[in-house]
Amino acid sequence: MEIDWQSLGFSYMPVKSNIRYKFSGGKWDDGILCSSDKIELSIASNCLHYGQAAFEGLKAFCCKDGKVRVFRPGENALRLNRTSAHIMGPEIPLEIFNEAVQRVVQDNIEYVPPYGTGGSLYIRPLLIGVTPQIGISASDDYIFLVLVSPVGPYYKGGIKPVDACVSEFDRAAPRGTGHIKIAGNYAASLYPTRKAKDMGCQVALFLDAAKREYIEEFGTSNFIGISHDGAYVTPDSSSILDSITNKSLRLIARDLGIEVERRPIKIEELSSFREVGACGTAVIITPVRNICHGEKIYRFRDEIGPVLKQLYDRMTGIQYGEVEDVHGWMQEIKLS
Ligand code: PLP
Ligand code: COI
């Protein structure tokens, strides 16, 4: 296996194995590592027609001391269960989630990008309802699988800024499904993202669907603004994803003495921000250079600003084991 670690982007690479657990008759099985990345399903599977599909995203890092650690897997397990509950799926016990992550990363350890390359092993847990059915009701049977793939930066060019465009479409309804991680939310964002790309922007920024006055989030990440007086400002909304990266950055910001404000943010407030970024597992912190809103363009910086850089360095420092993990976020992958 010859991988050019430096040239990794965010694309799928077949690896040695994935792990699959089946839920049937109200019980989970013991899980099995599979070398094939194909899956056999009934053509009437619920997930294919009615979208009973929940997923997560987390990363394993090869740290400075040579050990491999995963960032906050317990948080992803909790969120996957919140998503599953909303789509009438089964609970995935924490022990099964943790065991799945441990086993699949152990088995694919040679695919974890080495320390110093800036890459990581992306871990994608997926829960799908697989009962063949035509009527709309929750599946009786499920597959919980975890696949992994080595990744580099989500957007080409590392932490180079991206341009965003305020979408004319809505991502999530109030009291809808924006706060959970179901596959359908991402299908719904494909066309708006294509429209943003047609405008020359890599990402779409969504507003609140009720009034279209407040900033919600980007298609694959939360919004962060750094105010004129240096505060970390991020939207408070029940229709955005409760990002684990954002939650962690808010704590890091407080550790660094940066004030944190989590509140509704009016779109016009963009003109008062010194720095803007997108945050999430895949994008880490990606600075935003311009945000287009109709005829108006809000301009920020051509490179990552000092506050976002400080947060980025602390976060990636913890993930790669260069900075003390004071909050106990990193979970080691045990190797025999
Ligand atoms: N918002 C959306 C819509 C996302 O898809 C993601 C990625 O998972 C995030 C925010 C960031 O969440 P996290 O930091 O937990 O990866
Ligand atoms: C992540 O950041 O892990 C995501 O799931 C976002 C995207 C790749 C869908």
Side-chain angles (χ1 to χ4, degrees):
M1 176 193 60
E2 206 42 61
I3 299 176
D4 179 2
W5 302 108
Q6 307 295 338
S7 68
L8 284 177
F10 197 89
S11 47
Y12 175 67
M13 181 188 292
V15 293
K16 183 180 167 203
S17 64
N18 53 83
I19 192 159
R20 304 165 188 199
Y21 293 75
K22 283 192 182 143
F23 182 88
S24 201
K27 285 202 308 279
W28 287 105
D29 71 5
D30 293 334
I32 183 162
L33 283 163
C34 297
S35 55
S36 165
D37 65 356
K38 307 285 184 292
I39 182 168
E40 189 168 304
L41 294 179
S42 160
I43 56 173
S45 286
N46 180 318
C47 62
L48 299 178
H49 300 250
Y50 304 131
Q52 211 188 9
F55 74 99
E56 273 303 325
L58 62 162
K59 282 176 173 171
F61 300 85
C62 183
C63 296
K64 199 175 172 189
D65 62 3
K67 293 190 171 158
V68 173
R69 296 186 179 88
V70 182
F71 184 71
R72 306 194 77 175
E75 291 290 324
N76 295 88
L78 290 173
R79 192 170 64 188
L80 183 58
N81 276 320
R82 291 201 296 275
T83 306
S84 179
H86 197 98
I87 60 169
M88 302 297 295
E91 188 187 345
I92 301 169
L94 191 57
E95 310 79 69
I96 291 189
F97 187 97
N98 276 334
E99 180 196 272
V101 169
Q102 284 282 335
R103 283 172 71 186
V104 75
V105 178
Q106 277 163 3
D107 203 47
N108 290 282
I109 204 77
E110 70 213 277
Y111 288 94
V112 183
Y115 175 72
T117 60
S120 56
L121 188 73
Y122 188 71
I123 304 170
R124 167 56 60 82
L126 174 71
L127 174 74
I128 49 176
V130 295
T131 302
Q133 59 191 89
I134 293 293
I136 300 184
S137 61
S139 280
D140 292 325
D141 311 286
Y142 294 83
I143 295 176
F144 168 55
L145 66 83
V146 184
L147 66 88
V148 296
S149 183
V151 295
Y154 191 73
Y155 298 110
K156 286 197 188 84
I159 55 169
K160 284 234 282 298
V162 294
D163 294 330
C165 179
V166 174
S167 183
E168 61 192 290
F169 302 98
D170 299 320
R171 174 179 181 272
R175 298 173 291 279
T177 57
H179 62 299
I180 52 171
K181 213 161 160 61
I182 51 168
N185 286 346
Y186 297 83
S189 72
L190 293 177
Y191 184 63
T193 305
R194 163 53 54 207
K195 296 288 273 184
K197 288 193 172 142
D198 290 346
M199 305 274 291
C201 298
Q202 292 97 318
V203 288
L205 176 62
F206 293 96
L207 300 183
D208 78 283
K211 295 189 166 166
R212 297 193 54 82
E213 280 179 13
Y214 295 93
I215 294 172
E216 291 258 282
E217 64 174 329
F218 302 103
T220 57
S221 48
N222 274 184
F223 174 96
I224 314 168
I226 303 299
S227 71
H228 258 291
D229 44 12
Y232 179 110
V233 190
T234 192
D236 187 16
S237 159
S238 56
S239 47
I240 64 177
L241 194 73
D242 193 6
S243 156
I244 297 158
T245 312
N246 192 348
K247 184 174 175 173
S248 310
L249 288 171
R250 292 197 298 271
L251 216 52
I252 290 177
R254 291 200 181 96
D255 293 346
L256 293 169
I258 297 168
E259 199 196 314
V260 173
E261 297 174 20
R262 195 177 181 201
R263 57 170 172 78
I265 304 173
K266 282 222 159 144
I267 181 77
E268 297 81 34
E269 201 179 332
L270 280 178
S271 55
S272 73
F273 288 131
R274 269 203 243 153
E275 303 173 35
V276 165
C279 74
T281 299
V283 303
I284 318 176
I285 298 179
T286 297
V288 176
R289 179 175 45 199
N290 295 312
I291 299 183
C292 311
H293 184 206
E295 297 297 295
K296 194 164 172 52
I297 302 182
Y298 296 92
R299 295 190 193 282
F300 305 100
R301 312 173 70 103
D302 286 340
E303 56 191 39
I304 191 163
V307 179
L308 290 183
K309 178 77 167 74
Q310 209 188 352
L311 293 163
Y312 179 95
D313 287 346
R314 176 65 70 96
M315 176 72 141
T316 52
I318 293 171
Q319 291 175 330
Y320 287 109
E322 296 154 347
V323 170
E324 196 191 344
D325 175 21
V326 287
H327 300 289
W329 287 338
M330 304 304 294
Q331 193 175 100
E332 189 180 330
I333 298 294
K334 303 268 184 291
L335 297 173
S336 46

